[in-house]
Amino acid sequence: MDQVLMSINATNDFVVKFANVNGSGSASANELFAKCILRMGVPVSPRNIFPSNIQGLPTWYEVRVSEVGWLGRRGGYDLMVAMNPQTWDADVAGIAPGGYLFYDSSKPLPKAKFRDDVTTLGVPLTDIANQNWDDPRQRQLFKNVMYLGALSALMGIERDVIVQLIGEQYKRKPALLEPNLHALDLGRAYAEQHFGPIGLRVERRDAVGKRIFVDGNSAAALGLVYGGATVCAWYPITPSSSLAEAFEKYCAKLRVDPETGKHRYAIVQAEDEIASIGIVTGAGWNGARAFTTTSGPGISLMNEFIGLAYFAEIPVTVVDVQRGGPSTGMPTRTQQSDVLFCAHASHGDTNHVLLFPEDPHECFEFAAAALDLADRLQTPVFLLSDLDIGMNQRLCEPFAWDEARQYDRGKVLTAEQLEAGAAFGRYRDVDGDGIPYRTYPGTHPTRGSFFTRGTSKNADAKYSEKGEDYVQNMQRLQRKLETAKALLPQPVLHRAAKPAKHGVLYFGSTAPAMNEAIAKLDADGMPIDALRVRGYPFADSVLAFIDQHQQVLVVEQNRDAQLRALLIEQFEIDPARLVPILHYDGTPITARFIVRAIGERVHAAEGARLRDDKVA
Amino acid sequence: MPPKAPDCVTTRWHEMTYLPKPRLHHPSLQRNAAGFIRRDYEGAVSTLCAGCGHDSISAAIIQACWELDIEPHRVAKISGIGCSSKTPTYFLSASHGFNAVHGRMPSVLTGANLANRELLYLGVSGDGDSASIGIGQFVHSIRRGVDMVYIVENNGVYGLTKGQFSATADQGSKSKKGAINTDAPVDMVGMALQLGASFVASSFSGDKAQLVPLLKAAMTHKGAAFLDVISPCVTFNNHEGSTKSYDYVREHNHALCRMDFISSHAEITVDYAPGEVREVHQHDGSVLRLRKLPEGHDSGDRVGAMNYLHACQARGEIVTGLLYVDPDAADLHAHLDTTPVAFNTLGEGELCPGAATLEAINADLR
Ligand SMILES: Cc1ncc(C[n+]2csc(CCOP(=O)(O)OP(=O)(O)O)c2C)c(N)n1
Ligand code: SF4
Ligand SMILES: [Mg+2]
């Protein structure tokens, strides 16, 4: 039976997925595609889906175009740019009915390889590239630019915008500009001659505004530069390496003494994560702002030092760009599964400050804040980013810096204060906030020296095995974490338009999907209040929010409901009051998933209530 | 850890020329050029076993710092975990100290050094701390050329955990309980040479005359200075069959040459025949005068030093003295091309690029 092909028609609201071979140079063409649409004033959110491999294995790049501005992953795709024969079958199978398949038609493929309900757009990219270039590498690279050209013609992306972007890209290599434009036009010409415009359209809007387009790792690195970090020690690991690399790149531009050319930063690629955190601990002890960046396996190795820094009260900033665990887990997939581990890292009773950025803007802000918090609280501070935020470019509010802002170096006694006779006992709680005073090594010839150790000690830093000294110290550390609550970024409340019985708690990279889900639920007549948690220990307002709602759902991207566990622990509440909604297959959570999951829970709760009412 | 009962000392340690434990009240009230009396270089009373080699090393450190007119507070003492790593509490009480975690002194010291290049960094470690659990950090801190004095107080055992063999215990040496060590030893001196340490020496806690000048030379050296000091554990490794006992080391000690340390203030008078001495001029103006140079050894030749060391070891000798020094070595700060100003004194003005620059960065990201 013949089917009538109903093609998807959508303007500024669809998903394009590129299937490529790792190492084929497709990344820059794909990024250009996303940027063109942004430059036409339409929000996009791209996501890299890549294997733990350098060359040869499949990679995907998914671009969601959303004029309304939803930046979470949508799920599904309307157009597949199938450039990888290896993954062809699954790539084609996944296209939404009525969608489009763009491919290299140089080699004929059997009919069985195609779908009836999908519009096929074949462009002989290899043939055209072979006719125009001799060098195999060039053929490959320009094939990528050709498909960009063909897509732009098919979808109405303005040529001028692409030309300008390519021009910016090759500002310093003008020789490459002309061949790129040639490739672009070859692709455009072929598409224009052989196909009409397709149903997926990009139309110019003004929906991007002043926002910037950047990945979270670069943003965090820049925040650490602005926040005054001078020492970075790290060991390469996906998905955090690009943070250290970005720090180096920014420092080389922004942290070189203009007169002498000397560096106001030191970056050590250490032999492992134990050394990384050791270096950071030593630098923090000695009064420099220092950080390390890593992912789950690195945190595992750092545990002993984290306990030392907690107990000996040394400022340490750790960026954990989370990936799928446990063990090597899913090294190139995203998760929020180090939350509980970081909150209590190391043996014995420990408790650490966590920050949960939602996007690159907050990565910048919280990274700078982490350095202040570590100094103020004299303790490890974790910036818990993840692969989804860290390694994907995201549209976000521009970075901002108040010119009058001063670094908070915390309670440090100077030589003058010591000379003037300031009383000093390293672990005395002088101000009642649990935070003691410290001195930097080398400050004063006769006053202010003390011995730092991981063993128990009295308030004057003298070795002590007395139970009361130990207990007092541990209680003071607890008080210190209590003080932290008010210093951390406070939760962000989104109240439903109508009074809502249900509330949802979430954090970090779940935010874009949650924003969309909340709007959808509202439109579906299921209003829900939402509170985005931004720091741990949790503010008291989180408990108030829980108390205000009949049912509170906790949405997170791990198996064990880790944030929920921390909430139950801190607030000592009945676990039944917090309903977990968990997504942990390594892909970023979607609004579709959240809406369905919340819908089910809310209906179940309402149904149960109705039944109870009848019984009563 | 509970201190060891002193009655487990079984050997004739008291016959050795170990240095006495630092006492809180030193008779001499004479001030050195920096204006300090010797007591200013002392620390808390040691809780180590009486006769422990580590105490002699502490005493040598005190003497070296005092004689070098170092301001005590301009020293940072950093250690790992072990009896040896406890010793920084027993010297230089006006210095900040950091008793870190087991085997990780080098990384903490590296970070501290990056934060403030102006202090003198004394890294104190044990053979367990540096040759077993922390061997990676030992290796990499030396490779990087961290400007430090890295002292290993080497007794061939884990003193603090009561006498297990450490990785520097010689093959065939006998534990106090009679067990024979079958594993080959880690040779930290040989490794330090191979790894590019710019100052490598070996010594014996019982030889103050050799140790103090070596410490002074290491403290004035710019770059990674490594000192392996054999330091007998009187409680667990000073018996017959041990190769780290006072007796054994005395019998097998092959002292390379006499080294005099001549500070930058001292007048240099040459009264030796040419060929008999070699002088090494250090960057701070001090001079290392090497006398009675042995045949076949040249402290300026890294490869030669390795060969000489191995030849002596093959003969069963324990080589002590200055094995190698490169007075012109570059340190980690030089490699990283860092500003001469201590990082921990830099503020917003030097570190924060400011709002206007951020605006330009924003513009590039659109
Ligand atoms: C991670 C860890 N493992 C084990 C220990 C127990 N421990 C303490 S000191 C020590 C060995 C110390 O040996 P060495 O460095 O040679 O010092 P010594 O006591 O001989 O001077 C060990 C194994 C520890 N503190 N930390
Ligand atoms: S190293 Fe040996 S002698 Fe020294 S304190 Fe420890 S147990 Fe005692
Ligand atoms: Mg030992």
Side-chain angles (χ1 to χ4, degrees):
Chain A
M1 198 177 67
D2 278 356
Q3 280 184 331
V4 183
L5 181 56
M6 292 287 292
S7 294
I8 298 172
N9 285 304
T11 300
N12 295 344
D13 183 16
F14 53 84
V15 176
V16 180
K17 188 166 179 174
F18 298 82
N20 299 100
V21 176
N22 212 2
S24 65
S26 55
S28 86
N30 295 353
E31 190 188 319
L32 216 50
F33 174 82
K35 273 201 147 171
C36 290
I37 299 174
L38 268 186
R39 285 284 177 96
M40 286 175 67
V42 179
V44 295
S45 56
R47 283 182 169 76
N48 291 292
I49 304 155
F50 59 99
S52 182
N53 166 277
I54 301 302
Q55 209 175 29
L57 281 190
T59 80
W60 293 268
Y61 186 74
E62 206 177 88
V63 182
R64 179 176 188 184
V65 181
S66 168
E67 181 177 332
V68 207
W70 301 133
L71 302 178
R73 186 168 160 256
R74 186 196 75 179
Y77 44 92
D78 306 301
L79 164 61
M80 161 53 62
V81 180
M83 302 304 295
N84 186 355
Q86 246 182 304
T87 56
W88 175 277
D89 291 345
D91 290 339
V92 172
I95 302 171
Y100 303 83
L101 168 66
F102 181 98
Y103 75 109
D104 180 354
S105 60
S106 303
K107 266 198 206 125
L109 284 166
K111 195 169 180 315
K113 288 279 179 194
F114 296 91
R115 271 169 57 182
D116 293 339
D117 60 342
V118 159
T119 303
T120 306
L121 307 158
V123 178
L125 297 168
T126 305
D127 288 347
I128 307 177
N130 291 354
Q131 285 154 24
N132 283 271
W133 291 277
D134 295 326
D135 174 45
R137 184 68 193 155
Q138 284 194 332
R139 283 177 175 173
Q140 177 55 47
L141 290 178
F142 290 128
K143 225 154 65 172
N144 300 331
V145 183
M146 278 190 318
Y147 74 60
L148 175 68
L151 290 174
S152 69
L154 294 169
M155 305 171 79
I157 296 173
E158 296 164 15
R159 183 180 178 278
D160 288 353
V161 171
I162 317 177
V163 172
Q164 195 188 346
L165 275 166
I166 295 183
E168 289 170 21
Q169 194 172 334
Y170 295 109
K171 216 168 17 193
R172 282 184 199 84
K173 299 178 211 153
L176 289 176
L177 182 63
E178 191 277 324
N180 270 285
L181 293 184
H182 181 53
L184 180 80
D185 286 332
L186 286 171
R188 285 183 69 88
Y190 189 96
E192 276 160 2
Q193 279 160 26
H194 295 82
F195 314 101
I198 61 168
L200 307 180
R201 308 292 304 156
V202 181
E203 279 177 19
R204 190 170 268 281
R205 294 286 185 273
D206 189 10
V208 171
K210 296 300 267 178
R211 282 183 285 179
I212 56 172
F213 189 59
V214 65
D215 63 280
N217 283 353
S218 297
L222 189 62
L224 291 157
V225 172
Y226 270 74
T230 48
V231 176
C232 161
W234 67 295
Y235 188 77
I237 185 168
T238 306
S240 83
S241 299
S242 61
L243 198 159
E245 284 153 9
F247 184 74
E248 176 139 40
K249 188 191 80 183
Y250 282 126
C251 281
K253 275 203 199 120
L254 306 171
R255 278 285 191 75
V256 176
D257 184 325
E259 267 141 46
T260 61
K262 295 280 177 196
H263 298 173
R264 290 168 176 160
Y265 64 95
I267 301 170
V268 179
Q269 188 191 309
E271 61 270 27
D272 56 31
E273 288 88 346
I274 303 176
S276 304
I277 187 110
I279 290 170
V280 170
T281 305
W285 173 74
N286 211 0
R289 297 200 140 180
F291 76 97
T292 182
T293 176
T294 187
S295 193
I299 302 282
S300 286
L301 284 184
M302 292 178 185
N303 264 259
E304 191 183 13
F305 259 117
I306 293 167
L308 173 70
Y310 172 76
F311 198 48
E313 299 179 69
I314 296 162
V316 159
T317 297
V318 180
V319 186
D320 177 3
V321 188
Q322 297 165 96
R323 64 189 215 181
S327 188
T328 307
M330 293 202 286
T332 59
R333 302 297 143 109
T334 197
Q335 254 180 12
Q336 299 176 312
S337 51
D338 296 342
V339 176
L340 202 49
F341 183 43
C342 287
H344 292 300
S346 206
H347 55 278
D349 294 323
T350 62
N351 206 3
H352 309 297
V353 172
L354 313 179
L355 300 172
F356 308 114
E358 66 162 345
D359 67 358
H361 177 81
E362 283 192 347
C363 281
F364 173 86
E365 214 162 83
F366 291 5
L371 296 166
D372 275 353
L373 287 165
D375 267 349
R376 166 63 38 188
L377 296 164
Q378 301 173 25
T379 200
V381 173
F382 291 82
L383 180 67
L384 280 189
S385 176
D386 63 24
L387 184 144
D388 188 33
I389 302 174
M391 288 191 70
N392 292 312
Q393 288 174 302
R394 180 76 55 79
L395 201 58
C396 64
E397 289 307 311
F399 303 135
W401 191 263
D402 179 354
E403 205 63 17
R405 175 169 169 172
Q406 295 206 318
Y407 298 154
D408 178 3
R409 302 303 323 258
K411 299 186 187 179
V412 181
L413 291 179
T414 61
E416 293 70 36
Q417 288 168 313
L418 290 167
E419 185 59 37
F424 175 65
R426 172 66 180 102
Y427 298 111
R428 293 186 203 164
D429 188 3
V430 181
D431 305 320
D433 55 4
I435 308 172
Y437 285 79
R438 64 175 182 141
T439 56
Y440 296 158
T443 300
H444 190 278
T446 53
R447 295 176 191 162
S449 74
F450 65 93
F451 210 86
T452 303
R453 47 166 63 86
T455 43
S456 53
K457 63 256 161 183
N458 65 18
D460 289 329
K462 295 280 181 294
Y463 179 77
S464 166
E465 291 176 9
K466 281 198 197 122
E468 72 236 47
D469 284 340
Y470 173 81
V471 169
Q472 272 173 19
N473 190 51
M474 290 299 280
Q475 287 176 345
R476 184 180 52 76
L477 289 175
Q478 228 168 6
R479 265 199 311 284
K480 193 162 87 165
L481 268 266
E482 193 62 32
T483 301
K485 285 184 187 173
L487 304 175
L488 304 187
Q490 297 301 299
V492 177
L493 176 67
H494 178 276
R495 237 187 231 298
K498 278 177 260 165
K501 281 180 287 193
H502 305 277
V504 60
L505 288 169
Y506 66 104
F507 67 100
S509 67
T510 302
M514 183 60 75
N515 295 339
E516 184 181 355
I518 295 166
K520 178 82 168 69
L521 287 165
D522 218 20
D524 291 353
M526 213 187 295
I528 190 157
D529 293 334
L531 191 70
R532 182 164 67 86
V533 173
R534 301 199 294 171
Y536 170 83
F538 306 116
D540 295 336
S541 57
V542 178
L543 181 60
F545 179 87
I546 295 170
D547 284 340
Q548 284 157 14
H549 294 89
Q550 221 171 68
Q551 178 180 250
V552 174
L553 306 139
V554 185
V555 181
E556 46 188 318
Q557 302 184 55
N558 58 63
R559 185 194 68 179
D560 292 348
Q562 300 187 13
L563 191 85
R564 176 175 172 271
L566 281 182
L567 288 161
I568 292 166
E569 177 190 77
Q570 183 182 320
F571 295 127
E572 298 179 355
I573 51 178
D574 176 1
R577 291 174 64 191
L578 299 178
V579 181
I581 292 184
L582 306 169
H583 178 95
Y584 53 92
D585 66 2
T587 62
I589 195 167
T590 63
R592 285 179 185 175
F593 174 89
I594 298 173
V595 167
R596 195 177 57 233
I598 292 187
E600 280 165 14
R601 304 301 194 290
V602 168
H603 284 133
E606 300 282 321
R609 222 163 36 82
L610 287 178
R611 275 195 307 280
D612 287 351
D613 288 351
K614 275 187 201 131
V615 176
Chain B
M1 311 282 167
K4 306 285 150 356
D7 60 1
C8 46
V9 177
T10 54
T11 46
R12 294 165 292 140
W13 56 265
H14 49 275
E15 290 167 15
M16 303 300 152
T17 66
Y18 74 97
L19 291 171
K21 277 189 194 185
R23 278 192 216 100
L24 272 183
H25 302 288
H26 194 275
S28 162
L29 290 177
Q30 184 200 334
R31 295 193 178 271
N32 65 10
F36 294 93
I37 57 172
R38 215 192 113 127
R39 197 201 298 160
D40 294 330
Y41 294 85
E42 296 180 351
V45 177
S46 170
T47 60
L48 303 184
C49 307
C52 175
H54 302 347
D55 277 333
S56 305
I57 300 173
S58 298
I61 291 171
I62 290 168
Q63 188 165 335
C65 289
W66 151 256
E67 288 177 9
L68 281 176
D69 305 321
I70 288 171
E71 294 176 288
H73 73 295
R74 303 303 286 172
V75 180
K77 314 167 289 184
I78 303 174
S79 62
I81 298 288
C83 297
S84 37
S85 292
K86 283 165 80 169
T87 62
T89 325
Y90 314 139
F91 56 83
L92 301 181
S93 57
S95 313
H96 277 60
F98 194 161
N99 207 180
V101 282
H102 193 20
R104 317 297 174 196
M105 171 279 283
S107 63
V108 175
L109 190 152
T110 302
N113 178 290
L114 290 174
N116 180 3
R117 59 191 298 173
E118 290 169 2
L119 304 184
L120 169 62
Y121 291 91
L122 287 187
V124 177
S125 182
D127 44 316
D129 207 54
S130 275
S132 302
I133 191 167
I135 192 164
Q137 300 217 334
F138 154 70
V139 164
H140 292 278
S141 63
I142 299 283
R143 268 182 68 222
R144 291 187 187 108
V146 180
D147 186 15
M148 62 180 169
V149 181
Y150 190 138
I151 304 164
V152 171
E153 306 190 347
N154 186 352
N155 54 17
V157 286
Y158 296 169
L160 195 59
T161 53
K162 303 194 179 232
Q164 301 84 356
F165 282 125
S166 84
T168 63
D170 287 308
Q171 211 160 24
S173 68
K174 197 160 36 151
S175 80
K176 199 174 171 191
K177 288 180 180 158
I180 301 291
N181 176 42
T182 52
D183 297 344
V186 168
D187 169 18
M188 301 200 73
V189 176
M191 283 179 79
L193 281 168
Q194 186 272 321
L195 291 164
S198 43
F199 180 106
V200 182
S202 167
S203 192
F204 174 39
S205 64
D207 188 352
K208 174 190 170 184
Q210 182 191 54
L211 181 55
V212 173
L214 280 177
L215 279 167
K216 287 159 80 176
M219 287 175 187
T220 45
H221 174 77
K222 180 131 198 84
F226 179 76
L227 255 143
D228 179 54
V229 186
I230 300 185
S231 174
C233 168
V234 292
T235 304
F236 297 111
N237 206 13
N238 199 29
H239 46 268
E240 187 75 37
S242 157
T243 59
K244 298 276 191 293
S245 66
Y246 281 110
D247 283 348
Y248 187 91
V249 178
R250 289 211 164 281
E251 278 155 28
H252 295 80
N253 189 353
H254 170 88
L256 275 174
C257 62
R258 271 291 303 278
M259 190 201 78
D260 301 322
F261 177 86
I262 302 152
S263 82
S264 50
H265 322 300
E267 203 183 320
I268 298 175
T269 53
V270 183
D271 51 2
Y272 292 99
E276 203 181 330
V277 291
R278 191 175 109 85
E279 285 186 346
V280 179
H281 293 257
Q282 303 212 107
H283 268 263
D284 71 327
S286 62
V287 176
L288 313 182
R289 183 178 291 157
L290 309 168
R291 285 192 277 140
K292 298 184 202 147
L293 299 169
E295 191 79 21
H297 175 250
D298 170 5
S299 66
D301 172 8
R302 186 183 295 278
V303 176
M306 286 196 258
N307 288 337
Y308 190 81
L309 176 73
H310 292 146
C312 293
Q313 285 170 339
R315 291 195 297 270
E317 293 168 353
I318 300 169
V319 184
T320 59
L322 178 65
L323 273 145
Y324 175 75
V325 60
D326 171 7
D328 301 316
D331 79 332
L332 178 61
H333 277 282
H335 299 321
L336 295 176
D337 203 15
T338 53
T339 170
V341 187
F343 281 172
N344 68 357
T345 62
L346 300 175
E348 295 83 0
E350 295 91 2
L351 300 178
C352 183
T357 303
L358 197 55
E359 251 335 295
I361 292 171
N362 280 331
D364 274 348
L365 296 172
R366 285 186 180 118

